[in-house]
Amino acid sequence: MTIQTVDGIIRGAYHFANPSSATGAQQADFFVSNGGGWSNDGKTLPGALDREWNPYGSMCFDMTQTQMRTWINDFVTQYRTRTGVNPMIYTASIWWNRCVSTDASAAGSNGTLPQTGTTQQAVVVKDSVLAQNPLWLARYSSSVGPLPTMWSSQNRKHAIWQNAALDAKGYDTNIFNGSLTQLRAYATTGKLRSPRERRPGLRSGAAHLRQDSRNVAGSFMK
């Protein structure tokens, strides 16, 4: 699969994953080999892993939180191995907090992190690594709302907000949390500086994105 190139459009691909059909690493390989890779051409965003409600059965694909975290981590690791960059993660806060868990859930009752060498600390470390992936948040509302706790507990912000399923022209609408210059830099370097690390004065408005067949290609594993 080749993503169609249109002058002036920054585009990317997403992978709607079905963890029941193959391992995370296998699906990352499928994604990269079918249009989901990244190149530093200034037009191609790193691919996105779509993790949300299961359309075929139970909400969390009959997986425990530990199993789901492991699956996602395997996908992210293999995608980074193949492309050199981290994928975005597309999700909704309700689904992620239910099916994947959070840093906060692994902390002690007083909010402190578990002792070194414990199973709980391993969960925290893995969650911290996953939260380094740029967040593409789905929330159809007038405000971004609460982020998945994995990101908010580390004071990270969303990268893209999908704020409506369909606009007047039939497109999903998305808002990049930064300027057009920053979006182009992301497409060029494959790395997105966390909004919590940006210096004051860098942001100059938001770049609005449309999600349609011209700038987003999908891969599916059923």
Side-chain angles (χ1 to χ4, degrees), residues 147 149-157 194-197:
L147 303 186
T149 308
M150 187 180 293
W151 280 268
S152 62
S153 65
Q154 298 183 48
N155 197 31
R156 294 181 181 273
K157 305 297 182 183
S194 171
R196 72 173 180 174
E197 299 171 350

Side-chain angles (χ1 to χ4, degrees), residues 6 8 26 48 56 65 85 100 103 105 109 123 132 137-138 143 164 180 182 191 196 199 210 216-218:
V6 179
Q26 289 170 334
Y56 315 114
Q65 292 178 338
V85 297
V100 185
D103 277 346
S105 69
S109 58
V123 171
Q132 294 173 12
L137 182 70
S143 64
L180 181 57
Q182 290 168 327
K191 297 179 180 180
R196 72 173 180 174
R199 297 186 298 275
R210 291 191 311 186
V216 175

